[in-house]
């Protein structure tokens, strides 16, 4: 069993910053690509940013230049630094990770429970 637990969400004024964290725990032989997704009320879940095991990153156009994704492989932890936040960034943010769950390299996709980010205008 693998668990992903997010933290760091909250209420912030427009222009402010937040840093999200996601810790993976359980039987883990390694972690491949990790990512952050977000879902606003009444909308689909959208990709925010991803980072591979070799630290190659991708970002949604809407967050480029404002958000930075990073990871600490020694701590099985994913981060999302969010700066210059806008009201339209308000959503539940979910952590996603492809976890290697066996010595044969079997991958399983895992999701966290989500953390709420609210940006007031």
């Amino acid at each position: 069993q693998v668990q992903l637990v997010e933290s760091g969400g909250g209420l912030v004024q427009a222009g402010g910053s937040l840093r999200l964290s996601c810790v993976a725990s359980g039987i883990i032989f390694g972690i491949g690509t990790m990512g952050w997704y977000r879902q606003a009320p009444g909308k689909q879940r959208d990709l925010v940013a991803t980072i591979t095991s070799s630290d190659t990153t991708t970002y949604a156009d809407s967050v480029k230049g404002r958000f930075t994704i990073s990871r600490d492989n020694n701590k099985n932890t994913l981060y999302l630094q969010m700066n210059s936040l806008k009201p339209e960034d308000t959503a539940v943010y979910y952590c996603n990770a492809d976890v290697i769950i066996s010595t044969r390299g079997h991958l399983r996709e895992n999701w966290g429970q989500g953390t709420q980010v609210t940006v007031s205008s």
Side-chain angles (χ1 to χ4, degrees):
Q1 290 278 345
V2 174
Q3 282 191 322
L4 301 180
V5 179
E6 301 101 333
S7 62
L11 173 64
V12 65
Q13 288 188 331
S17 298
L18 284 174
R19 189 191 195 206
L20 305 184
S21 299
C22 171
V23 179
S25 62
I27 301 175
I28 298 172
F29 289 87
I31 302 178
T33 298
M34 304 181 79
W36 290 99
Y37 292 73
R38 66 187 181 185
Q39 187 168 19
K43 296 189 177 181
Q44 66 181 18
R45 188 173 299 186
D46 291 327
L47 172 70
V48 175
T50 63
I51 183 168
T52 68
S53 56
S54 56
D55 288 340
T56 299
T57 59
T58 61
Y59 294 93
D61 288 342
S62 59
V63 306
K64 282 181 181 177
R66 300 188 297 121
F67 291 9
T68 302
I69 189 171
S70 61
R71 61 193 286 172
D72 184 333
N73 293 325
N74 292 326
K75 297 181 179 179
N76 288 338
T77 300
L78 177 70
Y79 303 100
L80 185 68
Q81 178 65 44
M82 305 186 294
N83 298 328
S84 303
L85 282 161
K86 304 175 181 180
E88 51 264 44
D89 294 319
T90 295
V92 178
Y93 283 70
Y94 296 91
C95 172
N96 174 276
D98 291 330
V99 179
I100 300 170
I101 59 171
S102 76
T103 57
R104 295 186 178 183
H106 293 113
L107 277 176
R108 176 173 293 168
E109 183 183 39
N110 292 271
W111 289 91
Q113 83 288 349
T115 185
Q116 176 70 46
V117 171
T118 303
V119 184
S120 63
S121 57

